[in-house]
Amino acid sequence: MTSTSAELTTPRGDLARQITVAVSAALAVIGAFIGSGAAGGTPVQDASGGALAADATLLAPGGGAFSIWSVIYVGLVAYAVWQFLPAQRAAERQRRLGYLVAASLVLNAAWILSIQFDQLALSVPVIVALLVVLVLAFRICRATRPAGPVDAVLTDGTIGLYLGWVSVATAANITAVLVAAGFDGLGLAPEAWAIGVLAVVGVIGVWLAVWDRGRIAPTLSLAWGLSWIAVARLTDAPPSTPTAVAAIAAAAAIVIATIWSRLATMRARSTSA
């Protein structure tokens, strides 16, 4: 073990990790208030010239989709408090996850600030970095067993919801930047691009469902985001029934893959028992 890793696994290093997560959660909540417009900032959907508004692109979800952030933030704050308890200080699972969760919270706040300051292009590398961090964190969740029901809900559930939503948000964010930059589709119709991107999101969601053995949380937020894209295309501008159908099909494929994977996992466990 190197001196650096040894320092991180001492009681002092564990306390530093817990404090880092708690402070990062506070920063993320402050960023959320700014991003909602409650603290004097411009609501995210109205910032950057409305590039992320529900009617800005074919892949923009309806406004109601963003209510999932309330659930995610409640989970993140609850996780930050729970992981701060003395019983979690030396937990190996939390040692592996803590700084990744903290990084995701800081990146989340950075993404909101990039939108608030009209740095739309900067928001893309930030949200991609956030997605990578969440994949790494979820990988640890998948590889380690939760200590109990509270750990399963606060850690696995929150990170899973976070990952699923950011997956959809990344696709919407990149599309918004391209449209704002005047991307002409290289000769392809906007609907063709939208359907293609939704197909990719669907494939990623199906792969995730199989890889994580049918965990429910990522599927819930993925299906939620995709469903709100469908709602927006059926009820808001720009209207697009083909895009809505593609979004619904992607959500359905992910749900079916999750059910199949979970049943297969349960059968495997019962056979080996």
Side-chain angles (χ1 to χ4, degrees):
M1 180 182 293
T2 65
S3 59
T4 301
S5 61
E7 290 171 1
L8 292 176
T9 55
T10 62
R12 182 176 296 179
D14 287 330
L15 180 59
R17 183 198 73 244
Q18 290 178 301
I19 292 173
T20 300
V21 173
V23 170
S24 300
L27 290 174
V29 170
I30 292 171
F33 274 107
I34 294 173
S36 68
T42 305
V44 168
Q45 61 269 27
D46 297 328
S48 293
L52 298 175
D55 59 357
T57 72
L58 288 173
L59 293 182
F66 297 99
S67 62
I68 195 174
W69 273 119
S70 299
V71 179
I72 294 172
Y73 277 121
V74 167
L76 288 169
V77 171
Y79 170 80
V81 173
W82 175 78
Q83 65 85 40
F84 203 73
L85 298 176
Q88 303 306 319
R89 187 158 297 167
E92 184 61 29
R93 194 174 201 239
Q94 302 310 320
R95 282 175 170 170
R96 295 177 64 183
L97 279 168
Y99 284 109
L100 286 172
V101 174
S104 78
L105 291 163
V106 172
L107 286 167
N108 190 358
W111 183 83
I112 291 173
L113 289 175
S114 69
I115 299 299
Q116 289 290 317
F117 287 100
D118 293 329
Q119 298 299 313
L120 191 61
L122 179 60
S123 70
V124 172
V126 173
I127 200 169
V128 170
L130 173 58
L131 181 61
V132 170
V133 167
L134 290 174
V135 168
L136 293 175
F138 194 71
R139 184 168 177 257
I140 293 173
C141 290
R142 178 184 177 277
T144 57
R145 185 181 296 274
V150 175
D151 190 6
V153 172
L154 292 184
T155 306
D156 301 57
T158 300
I159 292 175
L161 282 176
Y162 200 2
L163 172 60
W165 172 252
V166 171
S167 299
V168 176
T170 300
N173 196 165
I174 293 173
T175 301
V177 171
L178 290 173
V179 170
F183 179 65
D184 62 4
L186 300 177
L188 292 177
E191 283 183 334
W193 277 101
I195 293 170
V197 171
L198 288 169
V200 172
V201 172
V203 169
I204 292 173
V206 168
W207 170 82
L208 182 61
V210 174
W211 177 64
D212 67 17
R213 304 186 187 96
R215 297 198 180 199
I216 296 173
T219 293
L220 287 177
S221 50
L222 274 164
W224 174 266
L226 290 167
S227 297
W228 274 100
I229 290 175
V231 169
R233 299 293 66 81
L234 292 173
T235 63
D236 206 342
S240 174
T241 300
T243 302
V245 170
I248 293 170
I254 295 168
V255 170
I256 292 170
T258 300
I259 295 172
W260 175 85
S261 185
R262 177 165 283 272
L263 290 175
T265 301
M266 291 172 62
R267 284 195 299 268
R269 287 175 179 172
S270 62
T271 301
S272 61

